[in-house]
Every structure is written in C-alpha cells, then in structure tokens.
Amino acid sequence: MKYLLCTNSILLFYFLSFFGCNTNNIKIGKPYQLGNVPISIKNVTKPDPFIEHLNISFPELPGHDDLIFDQKNQVAYASGMDGWIWKLDFKTKSAEAWVKPPVNPAGLQFSNNKQESILTCASRLGGMDYADKSGVGLYEINIKTKTVHPLILNLPKIEKDEFEIVYQESKRPIFSLNKLNESISRAFSLCNDLAVSKDGNRIYISEPFERPNAAMGSGAVPEAIGLYPHGKLWMYDRKHNTISLIMNGFTFVDGIVIASHSSTKEESVIITETTKFRIIKANISGKKEGTFEVLFENLPGLADGLERDAKGRIWVGIIKPRSGLINFIHNNPWIKSFLLSLPQKLLPIAKKTGILVLDPSGSNALYYTLHDGSKIKDISVAVPHEDIIYLPSFDNSSHGLYSISINKFELGESK
C-alpha cells in the first residue's frame, strides 16, 4: 500500500509538472512556508460586527477600490470598478459617475492640502476591454474643470534583478522624466496605490508586479499564485520632475501609508505585501535608511489597502482570508504551473473578508474580525472619516457605500 501511494504521488508530480501549461509565462517564486497566524492577532480577534451593524447608502455606487473625503464641501470620491470616479454628495444624498480616466481608477489621494485636484492610480481591470492600451499610470484630475492629466505613464527599465532591497538615498536609481526616452523606459505595468508627502511634492506609488498586460482583480490572480518578488515602490518628485526607485524585489507591493518623517522628508513607509501575507516597514531615510522590518507575517488574510484614523491607528482591509490550500501551494511551487493552466472559475474563491487595526506604529494589533461575506465582500480598505468607518468593496456585484460606526468596533489599545 505504501509503495502504491508513493508511486501515485510520483506520477501526480510528473503529471502536474509537465502537463500543466503556464501559458502567460507567469514567474514562479521559490517555496515559501507560511506559519500560524500571530498570537497577537488571535488575541484581539472579535465577533463579526457586520451582520448587525452594517449600513448602506448611495445605492447607485458600484463596487469600488478606494474612497477619499472632502470635508469642507461634504463630498467624497470613490474609484469605481465600472471605470468611473464617482462623486458622492452627502448634502443632497446623491451620487454621480463623475470622471472617467483612460483605464480603471484604483488608489485615490488629494494632490495636496488645498484639495483642488485628485491623484489616482489607474490600471486595467481583469476581464475589461480598453481602447487605450497604454493608459496605465498616475493621473491628476482638476476638481473644478474635471480635466484628466497624465503624470506618469512610463517607468525606467531596471535591468538588474535585486530582491528585497530598500535603497539608501545615495544609491537610489533616479531618472529625470524629461530624459526618459523609449530606449530606457517601459510602460507602467500596474499602478495600484499611492501616498503623498505633506507638502505635496513627493508621491509614493506602488507597482505590485511587472509584466506586460498586467491587470487588477482577476488579472492579478496568476501573480498571487506565482508569488514572485518583482513588486516595486516608486517615488515621483514633482519639484524636480524625477522618478526614483525606493524599493525593489518585494512581493505584490500594494497598500501604503507614510510611517514617519522629519521636518523635510519622509523617513519610513509601511506597505502591504498582499500575497505574501506580510506588512513591512521600509526605512527610506534617516538613521535606519536602506533597511526594512517585518511588522507582521503569516497574516490571516490578504492585506490590501491602508488608512489612518484621527488617532493615527492604521486600518487594514483584509480582502480575502488565508486558506490551508494557499499554505500548501506556496510551500510546493511545483504545482503552480498546473494551477496557472486552469480557468479561474475552477479555482476556489473564498467569500470571507475582514478588517485588521494596528496601533500608529504598525507594530501592535488592536483588533481583527472576519465576516462571512453575506453582507459585504472583498473589503479592499477601511476608510475612517469622523466617527464612521467606510468600507470600499472591490466586488463587481456590490452596490452602495458600506459603513459602520466606529463605536461598534471593540478597539483595544496597545500597552
């Protein structure tokens, strides 16, 4: 019997290895062993608040990725999965499809404290067709005129593969945008999220992975399986009109917030490595420059977007949970070519989604909950505004703006 089991296992291995066809040439990373969920997160796990306390407004609003608020004018802007940036007017309780970039909007931020324009990362969404095949990148939208202006559509070619590196300021690859011609540049693969310096001069932009025809949503699933470390964090310097590479060789660089800064520049950023189930802090200047620290690993789910509340706490969208199957796949990459050959509709898709809250340093877990997906799916980020937490749902079947009062969350405080 043992011989037969061994033989069958060997035959299965050869079948999956040689008959699986990775038609899109997705890069496959090395074996990666995921461990148990950190005790610190288990200790702050709370009952699901969504069943009883979830509110829905603006039913016209489709599924969306991000949300920003203009408190003065009592409006919000949401990056819709239908390709539009939606404007939500809280005075009139009305919603409108407001501006449509060349490709789907994703991360949103105001350009500066004046809030006269909006920055958006825009990328292709899996399953959608676009007239403009080269429209991926960073855009600025004038709120008054609704003019859409491209800021970054091409990035420098980085010929040398380097893994898990945070560049010291003096060693960063830096390029003048005026000199970025076709021979030394490539198209932006996927512009995902962004963070803006206090003075508005520096914009940090996440590029989860680099490959032609990259896409969000279903288009990112192959990268989640491959787990290859080719994610990057870029910084666009508006004052000097340069683009520089801040981080290179990380896995699916996604959400980003600025962690600390001096009087003149940012010293560290916190990012999610979504498909690696990690949150890390990168020290980009100051005494620890050129280093990074893992704040959390072996997360219970896919950490997506990051936002801070008025107390500085960091709210993390957990778009999907981690499963035992994922643990097995990443520890056994020989099966990945076979999985990449399957239609995505055959792959198991979890319905659960949740929220993780961290203290201002990002080092301590204050709260975690997981919802069964019956009321809301695919929480991409949790956006605090006043005394409410708003919950963008990156789900095509979603309709409306979801929210919960912050007092419904049993938030512990770090010691």
Side-chain angles (χ1 to χ4, degrees):
M1 177 61 76
K2 291 182 179 179
Y3 172 77
L4 289 176
L5 288 174
C6 181
T7 302
N8 288 338
S9 298
I10 293 172
L11 290 174
L12 177 63
F13 169 79
Y14 279 107
F15 174 80
L16 296 180
S17 299
F18 293 102
F19 290 93
C21 184
N22 181 1
T23 55
N24 291 319
N25 295 317
I26 301 299
K27 292 183 177 180
I28 296 175
K30 295 178 180 179
Y32 184 67
Q33 186 169 359
L34 288 159
N36 295 327
V37 173
I39 293 296
S40 61
I41 293 179
K42 289 183 177 180
N43 287 342
V44 296
T45 299
K46 303 296 182 181
D48 180 355
F50 299 95
I51 299 295
E52 295 184 2
H53 303 299
L54 189 67
N55 300 306
I56 306 175
S57 56
F58 300 103
E60 311 96 324
L61 179 66
H64 49 288
D65 183 58
D66 204 359
L67 184 72
I68 56 173
F69 287 89
D70 176 353
Q71 176 61 26
K72 179 181 178 181
N73 294 303
Q74 296 183 47
V75 298
Y77 300 91
S79 49
M81 295 182 72
D82 61 348
W84 288 82
I85 294 176
W86 282 69
K87 183 177 181 180
L88 313 177
D89 191 319
F90 284 78
K91 290 178 292 186
T92 62
K93 307 297 182 184
S94 62
E96 64 169 317
W98 180 64
V99 167
K100 191 172 187 178
V103 289
N104 276 61
L108 298 173
Q109 291 289 344
F110 288 106
S111 300
N112 51 45
N113 292 331
K114 294 181 180 180
Q115 296 188 351
E116 296 173 341
S117 60
I118 292 172
L119 297 168
T120 183
C121 271
S123 295
R124 290 179 285 269
L125 180 64
M128 300 281 285
D129 292 322
Y130 302 93
D132 186 353
K133 295 296 183 181
S134 60
V136 173
L138 179 68
Y139 291 83
E140 186 168 35
I141 301 159
N142 183 291
I143 292 176
K144 185 176 181 179
T145 65
K146 299 201 290 188
T147 304
V148 180
H149 176 65
L151 297 178
I152 305 286
L153 298 180
N154 294 291
L155 294 170
K157 290 179 181 177
I158 305 296
E159 303 296 344
K160 184 180 179 181
D161 285 336
E162 294 184 292
F163 299 105
E164 293 197 347
I165 182 169
V166 177
Y167 295 101
Q168 294 179 349
E169 284 190 276
S170 61
K171 296 181 180 180
R172 284 178 194 166
I174 183 168
F175 303 83
S176 168
L177 288 174
N178 293 330
K179 299 178 181 179
L180 203 62
N181 57 46
E182 290 185 5
S183 65
I184 59 171
S185 68
R186 62 170 175 86
F188 214 132
S189 290
L190 196 152
C191 186
N192 192 75
D193 202 5
L194 66 157
V196 183
S197 64
K198 282 188 173 182
D199 59 11
N201 287 334
R202 292 168 301 284
I203 304 168
Y204 297 87
I205 316 161
S206 63
E207 186 181 33
F209 51 89
E210 180 188 340
R211 66 177 171 86
N213 301 315
M216 302 183 291
S218 62
V221 171
E223 291 293 331
I225 294 173
L227 205 71
Y228 188 83
H230 52 160
K232 298 174 175 63
L233 182 69
W234 300 91
M235 191 266 282
Y236 169 42
D237 188 319
R238 304 194 73 163
K239 185 176 180 180
H240 298 99
N241 199 32
T242 59
I243 186 82
S244 56
L245 185 58
I246 304 297
M247 300 172 63
N248 193 11
F250 287 83
T251 306
F252 212 104
V253 178
D254 198 333
I256 174 174
V257 292
I258 293 171
S260 61
H261 50 79
S262 67
S263 59
T264 58
K265 57 188 174 183
E266 298 68 51
E267 291 190 343
S268 60
V269 295
I270 294 174
I271 68 161
T272 56
E273 280 189 291
T274 300
T275 58
K276 202 170 185 177
F277 300 92
R278 297 202 308 185
I279 298 175
I280 67 174
K281 178 182 178 182
N283 301 301
I284 60 177
S285 68
K287 294 181 180 179
K288 295 183 178 180
E289 72 165 331
T291 66
F292 73 93
E293 54 192 288
V294 178
L295 300 178
F296 284 93
E297 59 186 346
N298 301 314
L299 290 169
L302 296 163
D304 196 339
L306 304 172
E307 289 289 346
R308 289 191 186 273
D309 63 18
K311 294 184 178 181
R313 296 173 298 201
I314 300 171
W315 292 72
V316 187
I318 303 294
I319 196 165
K320 294 284 188 187
R322 174 158 64 102
S323 68
L325 177 60
I326 286 293
N327 296 348
F328 175 80
I329 290 169
H330 290 329
N331 199 31
N332 296 275
W334 51 267
I335 199 175
K336 292 186 176 184
S337 289
F338 171 71
L339 291 175
L340 289 166
S341 73
L342 297 175
Q344 281 191 30
K345 63 183 179 181
L346 297 181
L347 300 176
I349 300 176
K351 294 182 179 180
K352 293 180 179 180
T353 190
I355 290 175
L356 174 66
V357 185
L358 309 177
D359 75 343
S361 72
S363 303
N364 301 293
L366 304 178
Y367 177 92
Y368 173 68
T369 191
L370 193 63
H371 171 59
D372 64 9
S374 62
K375 298 290 186 180
I376 183 174
K377 297 177 182 177
D378 296 353
I379 297 172
S380 56
V381 65
V383 182
H385 179 64
E386 297 184 330
D387 59 351
I388 296 174
I389 304 300
Y390 292 90
L391 305 163
S393 171
F394 195 68
D395 173 51
N396 268 317
S397 66
S398 173
H399 292 282
L401 179 63
Y402 296 91
S403 64
I404 296 182
S405 174
I406 196 169
N407 62 22
K408 301 302 181 183
F409 296 95
E410 302 174 28
L411 296 175
E413 296 298 333
S414 59
K415 296 180 180 180

